[in-house]
Amino acid sequence: MARATSKFVCQNCGATHIRWSGRCDACGEWNTLVEEDVASAPVGGAQRKARAGRPIALAALSGAEDQPPRISTAIAELDRVAGGGLVRGSALLVGGDPGIGKSTLLLQAAAKMAVAGNRVVYVSGEEAIDQVRLRAVRLGVHKADVGLAAETNVENILATLEAGPSADLVVIDSIQTLWTDSIESAPGTVSQVRASAQMLIRHAKRTGACVVLVGHVTKDGQIAGPRVVEHMVDAVLYFEGDGAHQFRLLRAVKNRFGPTDEIGVFEMTGQGLGEVANPSSLFLGERDARAPGAAVFAGMEGTRPLLVEIQALVAPSTLATPRRAVVGWDSARLSMILAVLDAHCGLKLGAQDVYLNVAGGLRIVEPAADLAVAAALVSSMARVPLPVDTVYFGEISLSGAVRPVGHEPQRLKEAAKLGFSRAVTPSRMSGGDAVKGVEGIESLAGLVAMIAARAPEEARKP
Ligand code: TYD
Ligand code: MG
């Protein structure tokens, strides 16, 4: 039987299929299968003759464990996310929605590193040289000595890199635009992206340059095509944020040379991305503390404490199935809190619409936000504003108990730094001395009673 000469590769997840179909069986995406040549796949062919291997020397686990040599990008927030600077000879993938500011950030980093005396090459496959120059002028970095190229062929890029003195930083914007002669399929396909990345990563390992690859993500948050690159690179950073807000978060999701729970916070301004050293003040900036339904959550993003406002609105519903709308938090988690409020505190929310919003466009994943969410919900339902000087954190269990969470001293210290003098926390916590009025509560019912006790006091105010 004749061997198939082509296969169909899903551009979303990289799964291969023998036949074309409208939908990928592996990831369920529509219209993502593209025909690619079997011969072009960079996998070692089965036809190759087996050769006898040669034994290699095994090393011990202990021994000289030098820290990897790092170069600072002179952007503290970027250094922090990368684990203390970029590692020589490593490859980094920066993913994010189109227009979020990847090119801007990397051009700023490239310029700063060039000013610090590193040899920097910036290859743009998306923009013409003039466009990059215009951006550099706008960012005020056009004086920096950056080698600029508008090129999409990997062989040409590698030849250029190898011709000159070896570079310290190579930025490739973006990996989706690259193509190599060794593969038949069109640029942007999974096999082109994979092969191009492989060649650039090999260059990084060989010469000790840091290679930064830019990748676009699709609407569902996956790096399209370049997702296959995630396994190959040493670190993957996501640049996120939403268009309606100024701030941007850089998050490490994989890092072979550092922690993955770090975030960097930036603000998009007219002169490019500015670093935000104190993010809490950014997220609490436009707070209307006198309104019911707002609670300040003392959260953690990685090793960084971060205060955010959680807003809730509980209103009578006109629908048969009341609305539950959540922005910035998990909707299943909200349902859980509502069920606990109903079962253990007797608050009937079955005929109410519930809206929950995390201010500033931030997305919270910590269960520690449970208590702040519950406080905002109860406050909105009772129409009682919460005290302006109080932060909340704690996890709520299905039994209605409030459970302790980690990093309590950091949370309280951040709250004190921003002028909060009281905290409502799980009762088994020690308190510490950063915040004076630490109030430990054992159960959700305790929180409801605490807010209810404020009602007459609030009613007396003008
Ligand atoms: P860009 O870096 O081109 O995004 P990406 O490479 O991720 O696609 O960012 C473009 C956006 O940033 C664009 O909408 C305009 C905005 N921007 C500013 O607000 N200020 C600036 O100084 C720059 C250079 C861009
Ligand atoms: Mg770009």
Side-chain angles (χ1 to χ4, degrees), residues 96-105 126-127 135 138-139 173 214 216 239 246 248 268-273:
D97 289 323
I100 202 76
K102 301 179 295 295
S103 306
T104 307
L105 176 69
E126 296 186 342
E127 289 163 286
R135 188 196 297 259
R138 186 159 165 202
L139 297 172
D173 187 5
V214 173
H216 294 293
F239 208 32
Q246 292 302 346
R248 303 279 184 270
M268 187 57 100
T269 67
Q271 287 78 45
L273 289 156

Side-chain angles (χ1 to χ4, degrees), residues 314 322 324 333-352 354 374 377-378 381 396-400 444-445 448:
V314 179
R324 303 277 182 259
R333 198 92 198 162
L334 173 67
S335 305
M336 191 202 101
I337 305 279
L338 293 176
V340 175
L341 281 171
D342 187 324
H344 297 288
C345 310
L347 296 186
K348 301 291 169 218
L349 291 146
Q352 313 271 342
V354 176
L377 287 170
V378 175
M381 201 181 172
I396 293 171
S397 71
L398 288 179
S399 65
L444 198 49
V448 175

Side-chain angles (χ1 to χ4, degrees), residues 180-261:
T180 152
D181 300 329
S182 60
I183 303 261
E184 294 283 310
S185 38
T189 55
V190 169
S191 38
Q192 278 287 6
V193 165
R194 197 194 285 136
S196 304
Q198 192 77 65
M199 290 164 79
L200 288 162
I201 293 168
R202 223 178 292 134
H203 174 82
K205 303 273 179 252
R206 199 175 63 241
T207 62
C210 309
V211 171
V212 178
L213 308 172
V214 173
H216 294 293
V217 301
T218 53
K219 52 198 176 311
D220 58 357
Q222 308 287 10
I223 293 188
R227 236 186 100 194
V228 293
V229 177
E230 283 190 8
H231 329 289
M232 295 154 57
V233 294
D234 297 300
V236 180
L237 311 183
Y238 275 98
F239 208 32
E240 50 193 56
D242 68 54
H245 294 94
Q246 292 302 346
F247 84 91
R248 303 279 184 270
L249 290 186
L250 188 66
R251 210 185 275 279
V253 295
K254 162 180 173 179
N255 196 347
R256 287 185 184 150
F257 302 108
T260 52
D261 52 5

